[in-house]
Amino acid sequence: MQIDGIEKGIVIDHIRAGYGIKVLEHLNIDTTKNTVALIMNAISKKHGRKDIIKLQNIDNVDYNVLGVIDHNATVNIIENFERVEKVTLQLPQTIKNVFVCKNPRCVTSIENEPHIFHLFDESGRYRCEYCDNIAEVSQ
Amino acid sequence: MELKGRHLLEPLNFSVAEMDDIFELAERIIKNPKNYAEVCKGQLLATLFYEPSTRTRFSFEAAMLRLGGQVIGFSEPNSSAVAKGESIADTIRTVACYADIAVMRHPKEGSAIIASKYSDIPVVNAGDGGHQHPTQTLTDLLTIKLEKGSFENTTVGLCGDLKFGRTVHSLIRALLRYKGVKFVLISPEELKIPEYVREEMKRAGADFEEILDLKAALPNLDVLYMTRVQRERFFNEADYIRLKDTYILDKAKLSHAKESLMILHPLPRVNEISTDVDSDPRATYFRQAKNGMFVRMALIMKLLGIE
């Protein structure tokens, strides 16, 4: 399958296979106005299979969200069909309203408050600010 | 070490030195309560109890009244605007207009944290679901300090509902800061400590074991902290019925324990400690309840900046 390169925008490469849809969902890109390509299960020399997202004419995305969902993905900034910058993703220390706390006893299940998580360890586990529930939010 | 205006949401909000300061004041109050009978005159404590309570609410109210202050509040949410669907944020903002300090109990975990974010006055967490109960920890620590002198090099057994037992979670957090504390966690499989507590213990390098058998653990314990299996924390009544009588401490079991053992319980008990244990000198839980009032007197004074 052939997908054209983009003249200007962002290419998110090496997304764990199967996570492309989730990444796109959390980036809140308006797919009715922007040109977006989601390639699933592409062949990868490194990982066997991978997902790729190409965002035409978009120059900024929420790297925190990307870092949480798949911090091993690579982000390439494209201009004139060339990569001009490669962004290294990291697990953010704090994330707000990216995920909801799944603990039914957490106060956020009944109060209209932001869902805030803090990085618990380098394996990508996060701790709810309110109830301390530890969640692997990328799963 | 300025505690004035601070919130107490979980034990680690205060340093070891700040807690020592509270214990030192509590001991002075115990020795000479009359000296403190009017120090909070003109101050108002608000008690926001969204969940039933006897000891904690009464001890806070008694503490404020014995300091010469006054108390307002509700003891069940149906008698307040909460029944109309008011948020915690709006409730505390309103209460902060009238009172100088607020104490809150709520069935949901993390509720006091929300209150603290919107409050101009000190907020004290008096229990948030199965999460934390820092003033019970102050009570527990003061009791151990008064009766044993030190927390260090102590083997502490915590028995019963360790999953939803907020007093257990707070006590462990606080004791992790002292040297040589060994934890023996005694519970059925379904009521083991939450993952975050276990992770905190591992990170602190704590010496701990998780076991099922209370009788086997008893001979090695210096402190036994019994807890009730809490019906209100179960979504399924059948699970509560199945687990509620897993551990019952009675005189026969106690014969395997050290003479110096201290038996603590945050109360209320149901039947996890047989009443025949009450007369045993090792039963400390009613003295512990009394200490709760004194330590809350000290806490109120510190948070209001009165001394």
Side-chain angles (χ1 to χ4, degrees):
Chain A
M1 185 170 60
Q2 187 67 44
I3 304 286
D4 289 343
I6 56 173
E7 184 182 354
K8 182 177 170 27
I10 294 174
V11 174
I12 308 168
D13 200 355
H14 299 109
I15 303 169
R16 223 181 323 172
Y19 280 70
I21 286 179
K22 195 171 177 179
V23 170
L24 195 55
E25 192 182 290
H26 282 283
L27 287 178
N28 280 326
I29 304 289
D30 186 348
T31 51
T32 62
K33 289 181 181 166
N34 295 287
T35 305
V36 174
L38 167 60
I39 304 157
M40 299 171 73
N41 280 317
I43 292 168
S44 163
K45 284 177 189 168
K46 273 187 186 173
H47 306 108
R49 294 279 174 181
K50 65 179 180 179
D51 290 357
I52 306 166
I53 294 171
K54 296 188 177 189
L55 307 167
Q56 175 85 33
N57 291 327
I58 289 174
D59 56 10
N60 195 19
V61 293
D62 187 341
Y63 295 128
N64 277 351
V65 170
L66 275 174
V68 173
I69 301 172
D70 189 352
H71 66 278
N72 292 316
T74 54
V75 179
N76 300 307
I77 313 295
I78 308 293
E79 280 180 21
N80 296 322
F81 296 100
E82 297 286 328
R83 185 175 79 187
V84 293
E85 189 185 345
K86 186 176 178 180
V87 178
T88 307
L89 295 174
Q90 289 180 333
L91 289 165
Q93 290 300 314
T94 299
I95 51 174
K96 191 171 174 180
N97 285 336
V98 178
F99 297 96
V100 299
C101 182
K102 289 178 181 168
N103 175 8
R105 295 176 173 83
C106 180
V107 70
T108 54
S109 67
I110 59 162
E111 293 282 326
N112 187 23
E113 291 290 326
H115 290 257
I116 302 169
F117 290 85
H118 301 287
L119 184 62
F120 185 69
D121 59 28
E122 292 308 312
S123 72
R125 292 192 301 169
Y126 280 80
R127 169 144 75 171
C128 173
E129 172 159 304
Y130 303 97
C131 71
D132 284 316
N133 192 40
I134 296 172
E136 291 183 39
V137 292
S138 63
Q139 298 304 304
Chain B
M1 285 193 293
E2 177 68 282
L3 289 175
K4 183 182 178 183
R6 301 251 296 268
H7 305 298
L8 178 59
L9 310 172
E10 55 105 349
L12 302 188
N13 292 145
F14 294 171
S15 68
V16 170
E18 286 166 340
M19 280 201 180
D20 284 344
D21 220 25
I22 292 171
F23 299 145
E24 188 266 331
L25 177 57
E27 287 185 55
R28 277 191 278 140
I29 296 171
I30 290 169
K31 282 178 190 155
N32 282 303
K34 284 183 182 170
N35 289 355
Y36 301 88
E38 295 197 12
V39 294
C40 283
K41 198 172 179 182
Q43 302 279 345
L44 201 51
L45 170 83
T47 56
L48 316 177
F49 278 70
Y50 294 74
E51 202 181 52
S53 165
T54 305
R55 255 150 306 277
T56 306
R57 184 167 64 85
F58 280 6
S59 67
F60 264 111
E61 292 181 0
M64 192 53 163
L65 294 171
R66 284 181 180 275
L67 292 169
Q70 291 179 292
V71 179
I72 55 170
F74 56 83
S75 57
E76 55 111 11
N78 290 335
S79 63
S80 74
V82 173
K84 299 172 187 169
E86 186 174 54
S87 66
I88 291 173
D90 284 0
T91 300
I92 194 70
R93 277 192 283 223
T94 307
V95 168
C97 296
Y98 311 135
D100 302 294
I101 180 170
V103 175
M104 186 170 120
R105 169 167 290 188
H106 196 284
K108 288 291 184 181
E109 301 178 7
S111 47
I113 295 173
I114 290 181
S116 71
K117 289 183 176 181
Y118 294 94
S119 177
D120 296 331
I121 61 172
V123 171
V124 177
N125 179 10
D128 58 335
H131 187 219
Q132 297 286 324
H133 195 346
T135 65
Q136 181 62 49
T137 297
L138 291 177
T139 304
D140 302 336
L141 294 183
L142 177 64
T143 305
I144 296 170
K145 188 170 184 290
L146 289 174
E147 307 227 358
K148 286 206 177 288
S150 165
F151 313 114
E152 294 184 356
N153 302 317
T154 305
T155 300
V156 180
L158 299 114
C159 178
D161 179 0
L162 309 188
K163 182 178 183 182
F164 302 121
R166 57 194 173 200
T167 62
V168 168
H169 308 157
S170 287
L171 183 58
I172 290 174
R173 244 183 204 175
L175 284 175
L176 283 174
R177 300 194 289 191
Y178 298 95
K179 281 181 189 169
V181 178
K182 183 181 178 184
F183 299 90
V184 183
L185 307 172
I186 310 149
S187 72
E189 197 65 35
E190 298 90 334
L191 297 177
K192 283 181 157 183
I193 51 166
E195 188 186 5
Y196 81 88
V197 178
R198 188 176 297 107
E199 291 286 347
E200 285 175 8
M201 297 180 87
K202 284 182 188 169
R203 283 185 176 192
D207 182 356
F208 73 98
E209 58 178 328
E210 297 183 76
I211 62 169
L212 297 170
D213 189 354
L214 170 61
K215 195 174 159 187
L218 267 172
N220 300 317
L221 302 181
D222 300 307
V223 175
L224 173 60
Y225 197 90
M226 291 295 293
T227 62
R228 171 176 68 97
V229 175
Q230 305 165 88
R231 172 179 252 143
E232 63 271 28
R233 303 282 170 244
F234 285 83
F235 290 141
N236 180 344
E237 177 76 3
D239 286 342
Y240 166 71
I241 303 266
R242 183 168 54 82
L243 295 167
K244 71 185 176 75
D245 292 328
T246 309
Y247 300 107
I248 296 175
L249 180 67
D250 55 23
K251 273 235 153 170
K253 279 202 191 81
L254 207 49
S255 65
H256 300 279
K258 290 180 185 174
E259 283 304 312
S260 59
L261 175 72
M262 176 190 291
I263 306 164
L264 297 176
H265 192 305
L267 302 177
R269 76 170 149 188
V270 181
N271 53 3
E272 58 280 1
I273 300 180
S274 168
T275 51
D276 66 5
V277 174
D278 294 353
S279 57
D280 191 294
R282 291 170 285 189
T284 316
Y285 30 92
F286 291 116
R287 297 198 294 281
Q288 179 188 5
K290 191 169 183 180
N291 291 334
M293 181 186 71
F294 292 120
V295 87
R296 288 177 177 107
M297 289 170 78
L299 176 68
I300 290 168
M301 285 179 63
K302 289 287 181 187
L303 297 183
L304 292 176
I306 295 166
E307 202 178 348

